Amino acid sequence: MSEEIKAPEKKKRIFSAIQPSGTITLGNYVGALRNWVRLQDDYDCIFAVADLHAITVRQDPKEFKKNILEAYALFLACGIDTEKSIFFIQSHVHTHAELAWLLNCYTQFGELSRMTQFKDKSAKHADNVNAGLFTYPSLMAADILLYQADLVPIGADQKQHLELTRNIADRFNGIYGKTFTVPDAYIPEVGARIKSLQDPTKKMSKSDENVNAWVAILDKPETIMKKFKRAVTDSEARVCVGEGKDGINNLIGIMGSVTGKTADEITAEFEGKGYGDFKTAVGEAVVETVRPIQDKYNKLISDKAYLEEQYRKSAEIALRISQRTLDKAKKKIGYIL
Ligand code: TYM
């Protein structure tokens, strides 16, 4: 009797990246980063610190350098494991900028003009509406397509960029034959759009001038508690999901995403209790979630040699993989290699 031997199934490829702003928020963690960590065992994962994207807004050189390294250390502290995944710094792998240029020539002005992030950021930085801010989605497309990614774990705000990436890939493949894998977005059911604690109709964003609007993974426990205690709610004083209850809906979403409890379980638990108790409980749950990350981060950030070893090793592999795709695309266009 012969037993059928199956070849091991090839793991699907994942790519994602986060910009190294000084503040990595709870939104970044719950919407994206935490899923990266969870996906590492089942997928072939490639992650990056998107430092090329970050200069679409002006950066102070000293701060910027510090932020890049801190973001790298923080993502490792969150659980990115370089034994399982490739995790590099985007500017160390030159193929990204090169493919981005090529893809710019397959991306329409009208498509880029429709990007809500471009509209928002150009309104916010009216004195610096640079070409990079406009063509940013072509660079993001290059990041993803270079690695032939099947899935891209992101929060809901990046969905439009991912759709554009798919269109660019389809267009290129349509002209030259299959060159790029057309990727799917991987958006979590809970936590895909964590809202501002001060204006819960807007997403939680590190660029919000009101520091009470966002919670950073590296905020001190007392700061986190203070921010949750100040969170905007409503006058109904009932902990349940409902229309016109954006603040409470958001807090229930945050509580659910850090504890794994459903909205119904949370509602039952806080039946008859006031918003003060609930806000304290959400704050405590978040503090408990970030505490082990902060402990690990504090150890990692003081070991610069270890960090360098990790990002150099990963960049080397990323370059090898991405160069294959870049050469393939260039050949199809007609370049002499
Ligand atoms: P960035 O750096 O703004 O955000 C990183 C990730 O965090 C998610 N996110 C949120 N999720 C839930 N609630 C929120 N309030 C919230 N705020 C942010 C984002 O959706 C994102 O997944 N362009 C990207 C970075 C990038 C990238 C890529 C992503 C560059 N190249 C290639 C995927 C693939 C950005 O600016 O994300």
Side-chain angles (χ1 to χ4, degrees):
M1 210 170 69
S2 71
E3 226 174 85
E4 196 187 339
I5 301 171
K6 277 194 189 150
E9 252 178 62
K10 200 167 166 263
K11 283 185 180 174
K12 285 197 169 175
R13 166 78 50 86
I14 283 204
F15 181 88
S16 199
I18 295 185
Q19 293 194 55
S21 74
T23 349
I24 302 298
T25 66
L26 186 64
N28 296 138
Y29 179 67
V30 172
L33 202 43
R34 191 175 59 161
N35 297 313
W36 296 7
V37 175
R38 290 176 177 164
L39 293 163
Q40 291 182 109
D41 287 322
D42 298 327
Y43 294 89
D44 172 16
C45 292
I46 305 179
F47 301 121
V49 172
D51 59 344
L52 292 176
H53 282 87
I55 62 161
T56 52
V57 297
R58 206 58 79 227
Q59 302 282 351
D60 171 74
K62 254 200 193 140
E63 271 294 297
F64 186 41
K65 196 169 188 178
K66 189 165 153 273
N67 289 345
I68 296 168
L69 194 66
E70 287 180 356
Y72 193 87
L74 180 56
F75 300 172
L76 287 182
C78 287
I80 302 299
D81 181 349
T82 48
E83 293 296 316
K84 296 180 187 164
S85 305
I86 299 166
F87 177 40
F88 63 99
I89 296 172
Q90 187 188 27
S91 62
H92 289 174
V93 183
H94 65 79
T95 45
H96 289 247
E98 201 173 339
L99 184 65
W101 170 253
L102 303 183
L103 296 184
N104 263 336
C105 303
Y106 299 84
T107 309
Q108 297 303 304
F109 180 87
E111 289 176 308
L112 293 171
S113 312
R114 283 193 289 279
M115 295 295 114
T116 37
Q117 186 169 307
F118 171 68
K119 290 189 220 166
D120 290 350
K121 284 206 174 170
S122 48
K124 210 171 215 163
H125 303 277
D127 57 335
N128 184 23
V129 185
N130 57 71
L133 190 64
F134 188 63
T135 60
Y136 170 117
S138 316
L139 176 58
M140 181 160 157
D143 297 342
I144 298 165
L145 300 180
L146 274 172
Y147 299 97
Q148 307 289 0
D150 300 291
L151 283 176
V152 183
I154 41 174
D157 65 316
Q158 294 297 319
K159 195 168 165 234
Q160 198 186 25
H161 289 159
L162 206 268
E163 272 158 16
L164 180 56
T165 300
R166 291 171 56 88
N167 290 343
I168 298 170
D170 272 331
R171 183 170 302 138
F172 197 98
N173 289 346
I175 301 171
Y176 301 108
K178 173 107 194 327
T179 311
F180 301 120
T181 302
V182 181
D184 284 311
Y186 181 100
I187 298 177
E189 272 171 37
V190 183
R193 207 187 285 275
I194 301 292
K195 304 286 177 49
S196 152
L197 297 183
Q198 291 297 309
D199 176 359
T201 59
K202 292 195 312 198
K203 79 163 181 178
M204 179 181 283
S205 165
K206 49 211 164 196
S207 54
D208 203 313
E209 274 155 27
N210 184 347
V211 295
N212 290 318
W214 43 260
V215 171
I217 307 291
L218 293 177
D219 271 348
K220 291 197 180 84
E222 56 272 27
T223 309
I224 295 177
M225 293 307 294
K226 203 169 67 199
K227 288 181 178 177
F228 276 104
K229 282 183 183 154
R230 289 191 183 158
V232 167
T233 50
D234 55 75
S235 55
E236 197 195 23
R238 245 198 98 213
V239 178
C240 62
V241 174
E243 225 170 282
K245 290 172 72 71
D246 294 324
I248 286 296
N249 294 346
N250 187 38
L251 293 179
I252 292 178
I254 292 174
M255 187 69 158
S257 58
V258 297
T259 60
K261 290 178 186 163
T262 64
D264 285 344
E265 284 167 345
I266 296 166
T267 306
E269 190 179 334
F270 288 90
E271 180 76 59
K273 295 201 179 126
Y275 284 168
D277 288 346
F278 181 52
K279 289 200 239 181
T280 302
V282 181
E284 282 168 355
V286 170
V287 167
E288 285 322 307
T289 303
V290 300
R291 196 190 300 281
I293 298 174
Q294 296 190 352
D295 290 347
K296 208 163 161 205
Y297 170 82
N298 289 331
K299 288 192 194 107
L300 281 167
I301 198 62
S302 57
D303 194 347
K304 304 280 187 294
Y306 173 78
L307 294 174
E308 178 164 1
E309 196 187 312
Q310 304 314 304
Y311 61 69
R312 297 253 179 252
K313 176 181 80 178
S314 276
E316 226 174 83
I317 309 170
L319 178 61
R320 243 189 347 257
I321 300 172
S322 59
Q323 188 75 57
R324 278 202 295 269
T325 307
L326 179 64
D327 286 351
K328 191 170 161 190
K330 285 174 79 174
K331 222 167 160 176
K332 297 238 177 168
I333 295 171
Y335 285 108
I336 300 167
L337 292 188

